[in-house]
Amino acid sequence: MSILYSVIYLKKFIRVADVCIAAFLIFVYSLIGFGDLCLPNQISSYSSKGISYKSIYTVDVEQSALVDFQNNKRVSPIEGEIKLLGIFPVKSARINQEEEKRVYVSGESFGIKLYTDGVIVVGTRDVETADGKSNPAKKAGIEKGDIIVSINNVKMTSSSQVEETFNDNNGKDYRIKVKRNGNYKNFTLTPVYSQSEGKFKVGIWVRDSTAGIGTVTFYNSENNSIAALGHPITDVDTNDIMPILNGEAVKANVTKLYKSTNGEAGSLCCDFTNEVIGSLSVNSNCGIYGKFDCSLVGKRLYKVAAAQEIEKGSAQLLCTVDDKGPQLYDVEITRVSYRENNDEKNMVIKVTDKNLIEKTGGIVQGMSGSPIIQNGKLVGALTHVIVDKPEKGYAIFAEKMVEKSKEVK
């Protein structure tokens, strides 16, 4: 009888063990799948220390391969294996080890003046003719968002130039060269006679410039560059990134503030000054960049955190919301995402500072680019407000902005 009981207990134990092992394997493979999907294929490292994500994912590389910058060893990319708990392989990653970056953090509001490289088509319209409505631009194949490069082989640099060219016609065809999605296309545009206006029209609206406000994130003294916004400037009509011919960053003074409420984002109102702080030349998914021409007196030099150093938890937001200039406010980083195709939304932050919430309702338009500080390092910049919950917003990794700032010539 005792042998029978032993066999029964042994079978139960085996069944329980099988369930536990299956549950453990499911848990492990779930974490491996999560890591493969969410962890980056390229990693930046600013020290000779090991690399880890959330303490459970570690990068397996030979310690001797990690560069010690104090000994001035040559920097070169390293192939490493990301492992779960240091045991289970997750994915391979390319480790770009660089010397630790330092930038001068700002947090100041500024005015943006941009002029486009070419003239943007922001819309087409019907023209009333003797035979009814006609849309010559659409008929020619020209679309909203196209950038007019030249008309009749003459380079177009402003909307007024385009307007003068189209107004000076007697119904003859125009040879239009546009840039669309990075490719050049040629069209023949035939004007039609407008009965109501008594002249030939092409039915096209264009824009060559824009203006707005934002926040300067940092100044990079390595190449004398300025970085701001953390997201691109897009055309209000086409929602496409505006191609920059040139632009100016000018100092601006906050004059008024409209608080954010649930479902409606507030905004900063500023007066532009005549003091130019930099020229703008790059408009990208990671923000706007250019050369700076201003004093760094009073600006504090911060180390830049690598993405894997950023933790959920308390941090500080450096922003300008009144005439007192940049001030630090308490925030919490509630989510960190390493997905490489998510340029502007690497983190979610929540404003916890009662003073800032009282002043702004949370996050308002114009705060884009505000630096985020954690553990004494620059970790990112605010990019968007979550309109339904204005105390929350998205942010970009600082290391991405620093890397992009290197493109400023």
Side-chain angles (χ1 to χ4, degrees):
M1 183 66 70
S2 60
I3 295 176
L4 178 61
Y5 280 128
S6 297
V7 171
I8 292 172
Y9 284 132
L10 181 60
K11 287 182 177 179
K12 286 183 178 179
F13 175 78
I14 292 173
R15 283 199 295 270
V16 171
D18 286 343
V19 171
C20 291
I21 291 172
F24 175 74
L25 291 176
I26 291 171
F27 176 70
V28 168
Y29 279 108
S30 297
L31 289 177
I32 290 174
F34 174 81
D36 184 48
L37 178 66
C38 296
L39 294 179
N41 297 319
Q42 295 193 61
I43 301 170
S44 294
S45 175
Y46 297 145
S47 72
S48 58
K49 296 180 180 179
I51 301 167
S52 66
Y53 289 88
K54 303 181 185 300
S55 300
I56 62 172
Y57 298 102
T58 58
V59 180
D60 185 19
V61 293
E62 291 185 12
Q63 193 66 26
S64 60
L66 291 170
V67 179
D68 182 357
F69 289 102
Q70 291 182 347
N71 294 328
N72 296 318
K73 291 183 181 179
R74 186 175 180 181
V75 179
S76 60
I78 308 164
E79 289 295 327
E81 186 80 23
I82 300 179
K83 291 185 176 181
L84 173 65
L85 303 175
I87 302 172
F88 306 100
V90 175
K91 67 191 298 186
S92 294
R94 184 181 178 89
I95 303 169
N96 297 304
Q97 192 169 23
E98 303 176 22
E99 191 167 3
E100 195 165 39
K101 301 292 186 296
R102 290 175 171 81
V103 295
Y104 291 90
V105 171
S106 176
E108 293 178 292
S109 294
F110 78 113
I112 304 163
K113 299 177 181 178
L114 289 189
Y115 298 92
T116 60
D117 185 11
V119 180
I120 300 174
V121 176
V122 298
T124 63
R125 68 180 181 88
D126 293 336
V127 179
E128 284 286 352
T129 71
D131 299 320
K133 292 182 179 180
S134 176
N135 192 320
K138 188 175 181 180
K139 186 176 181 180
I142 296 171
E143 298 178 357
K144 181 180 178 180
D146 285 347
I147 300 167
I148 297 177
V149 177
S150 67
I151 300 176
N152 293 338
N153 296 321
V154 177
K155 182 175 174 60
M156 295 290 111
T157 59
S158 68
S159 56
S160 59
Q161 184 186 8
V162 171
E163 185 179 350
E164 289 173 6
T165 302
F166 283 147
N167 284 338
D168 183 23
N169 79 84
N170 56 3
K172 290 185 178 179
D173 292 346
Y174 289 104
R175 298 186 305 279
I176 312 292
K177 184 177 183 179
V178 307
K179 190 175 183 180
R180 181 187 298 169
N181 298 325
N183 299 313
Y184 292 96
K185 295 180 178 290
N186 293 285
F187 300 99
T188 299
L189 175 58
T190 304
V192 295
Y193 191 77
S194 170
Q195 290 289 97
S196 59
E197 298 184 49
K199 55 184 177 181
F200 285 94
K201 304 291 289 184
V202 296
I204 194 168
W205 286 316
V206 294
R207 179 182 292 118
D208 66 358
S209 62
T210 190
I213 61 170
T215 301
V216 178
T217 307
F218 62 79
Y219 304 96
N220 188 346
S221 59
E222 284 189 11
N223 66 340
N224 201 42
S225 62
I226 182 175
L229 293 190
H231 64 74
I233 295 177
T234 57
D235 184 84
V236 294
D237 293 298
T238 67
N239 207 34
D240 293 330
I241 296 178
M242 296 188 72
I244 293 182
L245 176 63
N246 56 65
E248 282 185 342
V250 300
K251 282 199 172 184
N253 299 318
V254 177
T255 57
K256 195 172 183 179
L257 188 150
Y258 294 97
K259 293 178 67 171
S260 288
T261 57
N262 288 347
E264 186 173 354
S267 62
L268 294 175
C269 297
C270 294
D271 281 343
F272 289 13
T273 71
N274 293 323
E275 186 177 352
V276 177
I277 61 175
S279 58
L280 302 174
S281 57
V282 177
N283 184 22
S284 74
N285 284 327
C286 297
I288 61 172
Y289 303 83
K291 287 291 185 182
F292 74 80
D293 182 21
C294 57
S295 170
L296 291 175
V297 175
K299 300 293 188 300
R300 185 176 174 184
L301 194 63
Y302 277 83
K303 292 180 180 179
V304 178
Q308 66 271 9
E309 295 181 73
I310 303 169
E311 305 170 347
K312 288 183 180 180
S314 60
Q316 289 182 304
L317 183 71
L318 181 62
C319 61
T320 301
V321 295
D322 52 32
D323 58 5
K324 295 179 182 178
Q327 302 289 322
L328 285 168
Y329 298 95
D330 292 332
V331 297
E332 181 184 358
I333 298 174
T334 61
R335 191 178 76 189
V336 182
S337 171
Y338 302 105
R339 293 186 181 182
E340 295 178 333
N341 61 347
N342 197 8
D343 283 336
E344 309 159 33
K345 298 180 179 180
N346 303 134
M347 296 178 280
V348 174
I349 70 162
K350 179 181 180 181
V351 176
T352 57
D353 196 292
K354 292 181 179 179
N355 289 331
L356 185 58
I357 292 174
E358 186 178 340
K359 288 179 181 178
T360 65
I363 298 166
V364 299
Q365 297 176 50
M367 287 170 62
S368 294
S370 296
I372 301 168
I373 311 297
Q374 186 182 64
N375 297 325
K377 292 186 177 182
L378 175 66
V379 298
L382 182 67
T383 58
H384 299 82
V385 58
I386 298 176
V387 178
D388 292 337
K389 298 178 180 179
E391 72 280 3
K392 290 186 176 182
Y394 293 106
I396 185 174
F397 291 147
E399 70 172 20
K400 285 188 177 183
M401 294 186 70
V402 172
E403 192 64 29
K404 195 68 180 180
S405 71
K406 295 178 183 178
E407 295 182 14
V408 177
K409 305 291 184 184

